[in-house]
Amino acid sequence: MQQLGRPGPGLLARPRQTALQSNRPLGSAEVTHPFHPLRGQRFVVLKVRRVAGVESLSLRHAELGSFAMPREWTDWGSPDTQAAASAEPLYFDGFALLALAELVVSVSRRHCKVDQ
């Protein structure tokens, strides 16, 4: 008959935790995508996940709640993506675009009258 005694210290040890700790702060991420409306704003990172092969960050916004964003659209993206996105700021001037459209229409009308 086998005698039951106290288990050894190795059996009482807890297994090492391998899952992410829920209280571990991940820091923050800034939106760097040149056309995103939240560009330049910084948000708390709640978690990192991979969906359909794309790594995304779960971010927290004070008013919108939490939302996901591709990692490459933030300052957590690879350095080559960040360099390409921030190499030169993009500006959009609506009035200049309207003036250009009017010029194109004007030139095309003149050109059509000459051909007729």
Side-chain angles (χ1 to χ4, degrees):
M1 182 181 254
Q2 195 175 34
Q3 188 176 21
L4 296 174
R6 297 184 96 196
L11 295 176
L12 290 177
R14 298 180 85 185
R16 185 172 63 106
Q17 183 176 1
T18 58
L20 288 174
Q21 297 175 0
S22 60
N23 294 335
R24 188 178 107 207
L26 296 175
S28 62
E30 180 181 335
V31 178
T32 58
H33 189 280
F35 303 115
H36 199 282
L38 299 175
R39 181 179 186 200
Q41 295 186 39
R42 185 163 287 282
F43 302 97
V44 173
V45 177
L46 302 174
K47 64 182 171 181
V48 180
R49 346 177 6 174
R50 183 174 294 275
V51 178
V54 176
E55 198 166 24
S56 63
L57 305 177
S58 180
L59 305 174
R60 182 175 62 212
H61 186 277
E63 297 169 8
L64 301 175
S66 64
F67 62 96
M69 178 170 291
R71 182 182 192 131
E72 297 298 320
W73 291 9
T74 70
D75 59 350
W76 282 35
S78 62
D80 57 334
T81 305
Q82 291 178 23
S86 62
E88 191 171 317
L90 302 174
Y91 296 102
F92 181 81
D93 184 339
F95 294 111
L97 183 61
L98 182 60
L100 177 62
E102 290 173 350
L103 176 65
V104 168
V105 168
S106 172
V107 169
S108 66
R109 284 183 184 159
R110 282 190 222 153
H111 182 68
C112 289
K113 289 179 181 178
V114 172
D115 288 345
Q116 292 176 356

